[in-house]
Amino acid sequence: MRSSGSSLRRLSSTGSDTPQQQTFLEQLLDKVLLVAVDGDPVAYLARAAVDGSSVLNVVATLSVGFCTPFGSDHRGKWGLKMRHILLDLVKATLRLIDYQPDLIEATLAILNGSESYWQLLKRPREFREAEPAAIFLEDEAFMSRLFYEAQSRFPYETLPYLEFCRALAISFAEQGEEGIPAMWPKLARTESFTSALPMSFTAYQLIQDDEESSFIQLTADLEITENEQVRAMTYYKTLKQSNSVILAESMNLRRVPQGTKGIVLSETKPLVVRWYHEYSPLAYLGMLLNSASLKGSMTGQSLQGNSQSPEIVVEIIDLLSIMLFAAAKGASAQKASFSALEMTQSILDEASVGLNHGQDIISVVFDIFEQELSRQSKGTEEAHLGILIRCVQFAQALLHVMPDRVWPFLGRSILTGAKDSDSQLNIVLASTEMAMGRYDFLVGCIHLFEALVEDAVTHAVVRKSPTRAVARFTAPQPLGTGVSQIVMKNVLLRFQRTMIHVYESLPTWKFVQMDQKFEINSRLSTIFHQLLTCCFGIEDQPDINQKLNGSLIPAAEHTINVLLAPSGTDLTQDYLTSILQEGVYQALSVEPPNSMYWVQQTVSALELITTLLRLNTMLEYPRSRLEEQMLESVSLLARTYTSYPMFRQPVIELLDVLVQNADMVNGQPVSLLSHMGQDAATQFLEVLLLIDEPLCNRGLSVTIWKLLSKVVSKRQQWFAIFVLTGEAPRKVIKKRMSDSSSHNHRASLLQVALDRLSNIGRLQPRTASAMLEFVAFAADSWPWILAIAERHPYFLTAITDYVSQVETVSNTTQNRSNQAEVEYYKIQITSYITEILAMYTHYARLAGKNSYAKDLLPNLAYVSKAAIVAPEYNASLHSNLRQNFEARFGDCKLTAFKRTSLRPALLGDSFYYDLDLAHQMLKLDSGWKGRDRGGFAAEFARANVNLSVVEAQISLLHSWKFLAVELSKSLAKDDEYQKIMAEVVTDCLRTNAQNTLPQVVFKRLAQSRGDLAFALLQCLIKAHSARPEVKSILFTAWDAMRAHGRDLATVFDNDQAPYCRTLLKILCLSLQSHASLHPSQGFTNHERPQSDPRPSAANATLTTSLEILKVIVAHGFRSLTTLLHSHNNQNNPLVLPADFALLSAILRTSLQVPGIERHTTTLLSIFADAQTSRYTSTLLSWSDQLTTNRDPVYGELSINFLLEMSVSPALAEALAVEGILNHISNTNLIKYLRTSNRGFGPFDQPARMYNIWVRGILPLLLNLLHAIGASMAAEISAALTQFPGQIARANTVFTYYSNPPPPSSLPAMGVKDEETRG
């Protein structure tokens, strides 16, 4: 050996025999060879490293303390690689080092790392597949030298085996075609059982004895339970010989049968023997847990010192939790042939084999949990916190697959204070964890609470659906059903109260690890945010208890009551502000924490505050203390924004809410700039100028421009000036007072927007839309912005070119989702550009630049057509989605997923229906994803995209309305634009008449189109346009009116009354283009409309006019009179006085249509059939009871309507025949007019009485006299004599004007000229 060692020495490179100076490595090798004369030097070095240098302890330390921190920012990727290298190192030593504790600890440290149970569960599946555990399971050396060795020593050495099983159970390494995790069969069956024989046991015989080992064989059964001190706790149950006991005996769980052979491992008493005995380790572990539960419940003795020690109980429950989690996640693998429930049930059944009938492993673990909670509350020495932590983990893992077992248990558990008892969670916190400064149990309970909220949301739809009767051959009920809503509400409310208390008191606690504080803050804020979002983010249901997530309502209401207190000092609200301060401090510190919990706690706190403020506005609550604090902490928000990139998006969203809420107060809103301070505001805006640079975060860019839109339009004047000019308001004023040419203007956000929009074709659609919205709002609120836009060399040209070159929207948006975003944002961009052009057209007209409107006109071809065309609403898509959804999910309606103002959304696949919440609530249903992405998720997205297109087209219509009206002010006399206006009016009316949209969409569109048509038609009539397109509007308007409804009573009795009034106005204006008016009424002699020389056109006009008189005027007046009498609600009237005035105007205009006088018979028939005169006199008789502030408005309207009818000689004669004078003279209002001895003047109250006399009764009498002649004179004279006061007053006036007094006789201060007005 020595000579061989000498041969290892390196010779001189020169070949000389002269000895060279030895290197350090050669000297070390010589010493090793001198010591290890008869052994392997490599093995000697390995043993020396392990025994003397504790290298395995170093490996364990590296695995736990060094690998994970460097990988925390990379989701553990690099930490896994480092642990792989360490695992290779351990593998290389397996042939040199025997099975020993240091090797076990090092290997387990590599397998587990430093991640906690909760961190391990959150790791993505692709990383879990690369876990060292997966490599370990597939390596024969590791399995044979370590795992199988630990298994062969079980249950004599229990902990190593349990720790290996726990470390390997998390792996997704699979075996077989069924996809079962490779670790599970090893827990189901094993062929060795190692135990120490009782001192008095002699029922065995020696069958082989040599120098290396001794083999023995049982001559009688060996009781396992007695051996392991379990039988003493379970003997009384075996007397019943229950089915489970028989099954346990058949599986060799309770005894090792006679004839079993074994090898003696230790010959000292008591003997330690490894029996070649097949049994189920998992079932045996279940029996151990049952023993621990019985010992606690029967004798109250400590578990210390027995085989069922607390450490073993902890590891068993931990192993079960890991296996349940792996079952839930592993079942999602594509090759898995079992569901999560089936996998979980097989595990639990296996662990429950050795238990009593009617008992399973779940009830055993829950019993242990309740016993330990009682011990903790009593403060006994036997209490073990680790058991509580593992039981909470078990409940959380079980909740994912068997929620019907967890909810009832928590409903009766003392954990959060069931049955009016004290919350044991608070007791454990106060007595144990707060003293230690470690809060593992609290963190576990928070995870459990989070899982409970998630389960309540995930299974809300299933639990809402009606349950089916259970039959023998029917499919089982869906997962999650069978849980009482009352139990869920109580459990969640108790948890929420406890967590709110934790949230309030957390600042006063001490922490050994600050990461735990950050994690608690982060998770609690996230849970509170989820509670509020799930309850109020969808389903605008008046009765909140009927919501899908009704089980969350009590907990959510408690959160609102605490966090949205209207006034006073609240610890929770103050703590939210301190979380933001902590985030800024950690972001600016030299060495921020390795974990990202400090970032997550700040982000989640910002999101929670934003949601709370939105909810406060949505529920119309008074301003909360939280909002006041945020307004006072605007400078803190600015520092938070600049301190860390991940804080920017939530900070901007919070500022957006603050700006919007500040504008809703009465009076002057709170100025954010005043709370921020000038220096902080300047620095904040300098950072805002970067927008999304240098990371090019498009979502952040859109959010910033949305905020700036609010700033410039929500009365934040000083802040807006900062944004628009880049300078503080005081500096802007000083520069204007001084020579501005001597100052260098700083860049502003407005300038950034104009510069970027000059290349609008290269911008991302969402960003371009947000920037244009900012410019449009700025120009609307600050008109001088238009001057800046005009001076920009490229902006106006770029947006005008975009409008002129944009393509027509095609139907491909309904079928090609990849182009949908481009389509609806293209329309939205066009809408904002149209609005900007409308404002600039107004600015140019006031500036005297009349040619701009004429130059702009050729570029509006697309806008004029696309704005009026019916939106591409896919009715079949929405109808089929609603029918299919409600057919599959029973009582759950599709509208339950409609967004509320709590979760505003941009245009896109989650615009109308909240796709994120819908996915969370429906993801467990196979129909949600469907095959080849053809499920409800895809249908929701398509419906949202289609509604986004509709919303964009509605926005475009509104913008085009403003631009078209503005152009009409400059181009009303232009013949070409008159044609365009007439076509736009016709298109608006025709599109409304041909409506195929649902009522909720049509209501918005119809009114906007009607307003546009009315405004443009007004301009055409005012300009005296004689184009044939203008005359043809009458027929289109009448078609639109008939399509909307012929019965005014029906139309006015619903929410379409405003649109109907607009149509009546359009109908009246369109008739004016055909009416023969007196020159004094606006038309010159050569412009006066004449009857159309074409017989067909003239007949069509007359026919339409007569039909309008019949349907709208005659029958319409009757319908409105009846509706007014039956629904006389002054606070919310269905009929307005203006409606009767509008009918009178239509009647007057219709009677002026040339040729109408030739249809006397038709006119008489129309008004006779409708009994118009009777209903008019009836309205006059009611007018004294329908007054508003003693104003008999309906009396004047009825008299005026009779006056318009009397213009036609035929109708006047008919009125006289019907005795209209007698009818009106008997009404209370006319009687009141006759009671005044001196008559009513223009200044007497009520003032309308004078108008009724002067503009109603007198002209009516004159028209009747003119139409009938001398035969009517006596009746007219008799009627006049009934008003002696009015006649005397008129006589006085005539006398005054005939013999006026001399000027000198007038009073010095003037004469009240009331009489002259008579």
Side-chain angles (χ1 to χ4, degrees), residues 551-571:
S551 59
L552 302 176
I553 292 297
E557 289 180 335
H558 181 71
T559 306
I560 295 173
N561 294 335
V562 174
L563 299 182
L564 286 179
S567 61
T569 302
D570 191 276
L571 297 176

PDB file of all heavy atoms in Angstrom, residues 551-571:
ATOM      1  N   SER A 551     -72.925  34.139   1.068  1.00  0.00           N
ATOM      2  CA  SER A 551     -72.281  33.652   2.291  1.00  0.00           C
ATOM      3  C   SER A 551     -71.162  34.572   2.761  1.00  0.00           C
ATOM      4  O   SER A 551     -70.780  34.530   3.932  1.00  0.00           O
ATOM      5  CB  SER A 551     -71.730  32.239   2.068  1.00  0.00           C
ATOM      6  OG  SER A 551     -70.793  32.232   1.010  1.00  0.00           O
ATOM      7  N   LEU A 552     -70.646  35.409   1.856  1.00  0.00           N
ATOM      8  CA  LEU A 552     -69.569  36.326   2.219  1.00  0.00           C
ATOM      9  C   LEU A 552     -70.088  37.665   2.730  1.00  0.00           C
ATOM     10  O   LEU A 552     -69.295  38.474   3.229  1.00  0.00           O
ATOM     11  CB  LEU A 552     -68.664  36.578   1.008  1.00  0.00           C
ATOM     12  CG  LEU A 552     -67.992  35.365   0.366  1.00  0.00           C
ATOM     13  CD1 LEU A 552     -67.221  35.802  -0.868  1.00  0.00           C
ATOM     14  CD2 LEU A 552     -67.071  34.663   1.339  1.00  0.00           C
ATOM     15  N   ILE A 553     -71.380  37.917   2.577  1.00  0.00           N
ATOM     16  CA  ILE A 553     -71.924  39.240   2.874  1.00  0.00           C
ATOM     17  C   ILE A 553     -71.692  39.665   4.322  1.00  0.00           C
ATOM     18  O   ILE A 553     -71.224  40.785   4.574  1.00  0.00           O
ATOM     19  CB  ILE A 553     -73.420  39.285   2.516  1.00  0.00           C
ATOM     20  CG1 ILE A 553     -73.595  39.181   0.998  1.00  0.00           C
ATOM     21  CG2 ILE A 553     -74.064  40.557   3.036  1.00  0.00           C
ATOM     22  CD1 ILE A 553     -72.999  40.327   0.226  1.00  0.00           C
ATOM     23  N   PRO A 554     -71.993  38.841   5.349  1.00  0.00           N
ATOM     24  CA  PRO A 554     -71.760  39.309   6.725  1.00  0.00           C
ATOM     25  C   PRO A 554     -70.298  39.687   6.981  1.00  0.00           C
ATOM     26  O   PRO A 554     -70.033  40.707   7.633  1.00  0.00           O
ATOM     27  CB  PRO A 554     -72.192  38.106   7.576  1.00  0.00           C
ATOM     28  CG  PRO A 554     -73.178  37.367   6.728  1.00  0.00           C
ATOM     29  CD  PRO A 554     -72.665  37.515   5.328  1.00  0.00           C
ATOM     30  N   ALA A 555     -69.376  38.864   6.492  1.00  0.00           N
ATOM     31  CA  ALA A 555     -67.957  39.191   6.683  1.00  0.00           C
ATOM     32  C   ALA A 555     -67.585  40.471   5.948  1.00  0.00           C
ATOM     33  O   ALA A 555     -66.826  41.307   6.452  1.00  0.00           O
ATOM     34  CB  ALA A 555     -67.087  38.029   6.195  1.00  0.00           C
ATOM     35  N   ALA A 556     -68.121  40.657   4.735  1.00  0.00           N
ATOM     36  CA  ALA A 556     -67.824  41.874   3.970  1.00  0.00           C
ATOM     37  C   ALA A 556     -68.409  43.108   4.654  1.00  0.00           C
ATOM     38  O   ALA A 556     -67.762  44.169   4.697  1.00  0.00           O
ATOM     39  CB  ALA A 556     -68.368  41.733   2.553  1.00  0.00           C
ATOM     40  N   GLU A 557     -69.612  43.003   5.178  1.00  0.00           N
ATOM     41  CA  GLU A 557     -70.225  44.138   5.863  1.00  0.00           C
ATOM     42  C   GLU A 557     -69.443  44.514   7.113  1.00  0.00           C
ATOM     43  O   GLU A 557     -69.294  45.701   7.429  1.00  0.00           O
ATOM     44  CB  GLU A 557     -71.674  43.802   6.221  1.00  0.00           C
ATOM     45  CG  GLU A 557     -72.604  43.749   5.008  1.00  0.00           C
ATOM     46  CD  GLU A 557     -74.033  43.408   5.395  1.00  0.00           C
ATOM     47  OE1 GLU A 557     -74.206  42.763   6.457  1.00  0.00           O
ATOM     48  OE2 GLU A 557     -74.955  43.764   4.646  1.00  0.00           O
ATOM     49  N   HIS A 558     -68.946  43.512   7.827  1.00  0.00           N
ATOM     50  CA  HIS A 558     -68.118  43.813   8.997  1.00  0.00           C
ATOM     51  C   HIS A 558     -66.843  44.542   8.581  1.00  0.00           C
ATOM     52  O   HIS A 558     -66.401  45.482   9.266  1.00  0.00           O
ATOM     53  CB  HIS A 558     -67.775  42.517   9.731  1.00  0.00           C
ATOM     54  CG  HIS A 558     -66.938  42.726  10.959  1.00  0.00           C
ATOM     55  ND1 HIS A 558     -67.434  43.298  12.112  1.00  0.00           N
ATOM     56  CD2 HIS A 558     -65.629  42.436  11.207  1.00  0.00           C
ATOM     57  CE1 HIS A 558     -66.472  43.359  13.014  1.00  0.00           C
ATOM     58  NE2 HIS A 558     -65.373  42.846  12.500  1.00  0.00           N
ATOM     59  N   THR A 559     -66.257  44.140   7.467  1.00  0.00           N
ATOM     60  CA  THR A 559     -65.065  44.820   6.960  1.00  0.00           C
ATOM     61  C   THR A 559     -65.372  46.273   6.632  1.00  0.00           C
ATOM     62  O   THR A 559     -64.586  47.179   6.956  1.00  0.00           O
ATOM     63  CB  THR A 559     -64.552  44.096   5.703  1.00  0.00           C
ATOM     64  OG1 THR A 559     -64.365  42.710   5.997  1.00  0.00           O
ATOM     65  CG2 THR A 559     -63.247  44.687   5.232  1.00  0.00           C
ATOM     66  N   ILE A 560     -66.519  46.504   5.992  1.00  0.00           N
ATOM     67  CA  ILE A 560     -66.900  47.876   5.634  1.00  0.00           C
ATOM     68  C   ILE A 560     -67.116  48.720   6.887  1.00  0.00           C
ATOM     69  O   ILE A 560     -66.672  49.878   6.961  1.00  0.00           O
ATOM     70  CB  ILE A 560     -68.167  47.844   4.764  1.00  0.00           C
ATOM     71  CG1 ILE A 560     -67.883  47.165   3.431  1.00  0.00           C
ATOM     72  CG2 ILE A 560     -68.703  49.244   4.532  1.00  0.00           C
ATOM     73  CD1 ILE A 560     -69.105  46.933   2.589  1.00  0.00           C
ATOM     74  N   ASN A 561     -67.778  48.173   7.868  1.00  0.00           N
ATOM     75  CA  ASN A 561     -68.068  48.931   9.083  1.00  0.00           C
ATOM     76  C   ASN A 561     -66.797  49.347   9.808  1.00  0.00           C
ATOM     77  O   ASN A 561     -66.761  50.414  10.439  1.00  0.00           O
ATOM     78  CB  ASN A 561     -68.955  48.105  10.017  1.00  0.00           C
ATOM     79  CG  ASN A 561     -70.336  47.858   9.440  1.00  0.00           C
ATOM     80  OD1 ASN A 561     -70.816  48.625   8.609  1.00  0.00           O
ATOM     81  ND2 ASN A 561     -70.973  46.766   9.854  1.00  0.00           N
ATOM     82  N   VAL A 562     -65.770  48.526   9.733  1.00  0.00           N
ATOM     83  CA  VAL A 562     -64.523  48.846  10.434  1.00  0.00           C
ATOM     84  C   VAL A 562     -63.640  49.762   9.596  1.00  0.00           C
ATOM     85  O   VAL A 562     -63.130  50.774  10.084  1.00  0.00           O
ATOM     86  CB  VAL A 562     -63.772  47.549  10.790  1.00  0.00           C
ATOM     87  CG1 VAL A 562     -62.410  47.877  11.397  1.00  0.00           C
ATOM     88  CG2 VAL A 562     -64.587  46.717  11.768  1.00  0.00           C
ATOM     89  N   LEU A 563     -63.455  49.425   8.332  1.00  0.00           N
ATOM     90  CA  LEU A 563     -62.495  50.151   7.501  1.00  0.00           C
ATOM     91  C   LEU A 563     -63.055  51.409   6.862  1.00  0.00           C
ATOM     92  O   LEU A 563     -62.286  52.240   6.367  1.00  0.00           O
ATOM     93  CB  LEU A 563     -61.960  49.226   6.397  1.00  0.00           C
ATOM     94  CG  LEU A 563     -61.224  47.971   6.875  1.00  0.00           C
ATOM     95  CD1 LEU A 563     -60.710  47.170   5.692  1.00  0.00           C
ATOM     96  CD2 LEU A 563     -60.076  48.333   7.802  1.00  0.00           C
ATOM     97  N   LEU A 564     -64.378  51.546   6.838  1.00  0.00           N
ATOM     98  CA  LEU A 564     -64.985  52.744   6.250  1.00  0.00           C
ATOM     99  C   LEU A 564     -65.762  53.532   7.299  1.00  0.00           C
ATOM    100  O   LEU A 564     -66.842  54.060   7.018  1.00  0.00           O
ATOM    101  CB  LEU A 564     -65.912  52.359   5.091  1.00  0.00           C
ATOM    102  CG  LEU A 564     -65.229  51.932   3.793  1.00  0.00           C
ATOM    103  CD1 LEU A 564     -66.252  51.567   2.744  1.00  0.00           C
ATOM    104  CD2 LEU A 564     -64.311  53.030   3.271  1.00  0.00           C
ATOM    105  N   ALA A 565     -65.204  53.594   8.495  1.00  0.00           N
ATOM    106  CA  ALA A 565     -65.841  54.401   9.536  1.00  0.00           C
ATOM    107  C   ALA A 565     -65.859  55.858   9.085  1.00  0.00           C
ATOM    108  O   ALA A 565     -64.866  56.379   8.578  1.00  0.00           O
ATOM    109  CB  ALA A 565     -65.081  54.257  10.849  1.00  0.00           C
ATOM    110  N   PRO A 566     -66.980  56.570   9.253  1.00  0.00           N
ATOM    111  CA  PRO A 566     -67.074  57.921   8.692  1.00  0.00           C
ATOM    112  C   PRO A 566     -66.196  58.947   9.376  1.00  0.00           C
ATOM    113  O   PRO A 566     -65.758  59.904   8.756  1.00  0.00           O
ATOM    114  CB  PRO A 566     -68.567  58.263   8.866  1.00  0.00           C
ATOM    115  CG  PRO A 566     -69.036  57.374   9.975  1.00  0.00           C
ATOM    116  CD  PRO A 566     -68.239  56.116   9.868  1.00  0.00           C
ATOM    117  N   SER A 567     -65.929  58.776  10.665  1.00  0.00           N
ATOM    118  CA  SER A 567     -65.138  59.782  11.362  1.00  0.00           C
ATOM    119  C   SER A 567     -64.487  59.144  12.571  1.00  0.00           C
ATOM    120  O   SER A 567     -64.707  57.981  12.887  1.00  0.00           O
ATOM    121  CB  SER A 567     -66.022  60.960  11.794  1.00  0.00           C
ATOM    122  OG  SER A 567     -67.034  60.512  12.670  1.00  0.00           O
ATOM    123  N   GLY A 568     -63.680  59.940  13.242  1.00  0.00           N
ATOM    124  CA  GLY A 568     -63.014  59.438  14.430  1.00  0.00           C
ATOM    125  C   GLY A 568     -61.682  58.805  14.110  1.00  0.00           C
ATOM    126  O   GLY A 568     -61.276  58.684  12.961  1.00  0.00           O
ATOM    127  N   THR A 569     -60.991  58.380  15.132  1.00  0.00           N
ATOM    128  CA  THR A 569     -59.684  57.756  14.976  1.00  0.00           C
ATOM    129  C   THR A 569     -59.847  56.252  14.981  1.00  0.00           C
ATOM    130  O   THR A 569     -60.397  55.685  15.915  1.00  0.00           O
ATOM    131  CB  THR A 569     -58.740  58.189  16.110  1.00  0.00           C
ATOM    132  OG1 THR A 569     -58.635  59.604  16.093  1.00  0.00           O
ATOM    133  CG2 THR A 569     -57.366  57.570  15.903  1.00  0.00           C
ATOM    134  N   ASP A 570     -59.356  55.611  13.969  1.00  0.00           N
ATOM    135  CA  ASP A 570     -59.469  54.165  13.860  1.00  0.00           C
ATOM    136  C   ASP A 570     -58.082  53.591  13.649  1.00  0.00           C
ATOM    137  O   ASP A 570     -57.340  54.014  12.752  1.00  0.00           O
ATOM    138  CB  ASP A 570     -60.380  53.776  12.687  1.00  0.00           C
ATOM    139  CG  ASP A 570     -60.719  52.300  12.724  1.00  0.00           C
ATOM    140  OD1 ASP A 570     -59.903  51.518  12.232  1.00  0.00           O
ATOM    141  OD2 ASP A 570     -61.790  51.948  13.238  1.00  0.00           O
ATOM    142  N   LEU A 571     -57.733  52.607  14.464  1.00  0.00           N
ATOM    143  CA  LEU A 571     -56.402  52.024  14.390  1.00  0.00           C
ATOM    144  C   LEU A 571     -56.147  51.357  13.053  1.00  0.00           C
ATOM    145  O   LEU A 571     -55.043  51.428  12.502  1.00  0.00           O
ATOM    146  CB  LEU A 571     -56.209  51.021  15.530  1.00  0.00           C
ATOM    147  CG  LEU A 571     -56.269  51.589  16.957  1.00  0.00           C
ATOM    148  CD1 LEU A 571     -56.149  50.458  17.962  1.00  0.00           C
ATOM    149  CD2 LEU A 571     -55.170  52.611  17.164  1.00  0.00           C
TER     150      LEU A 571
END
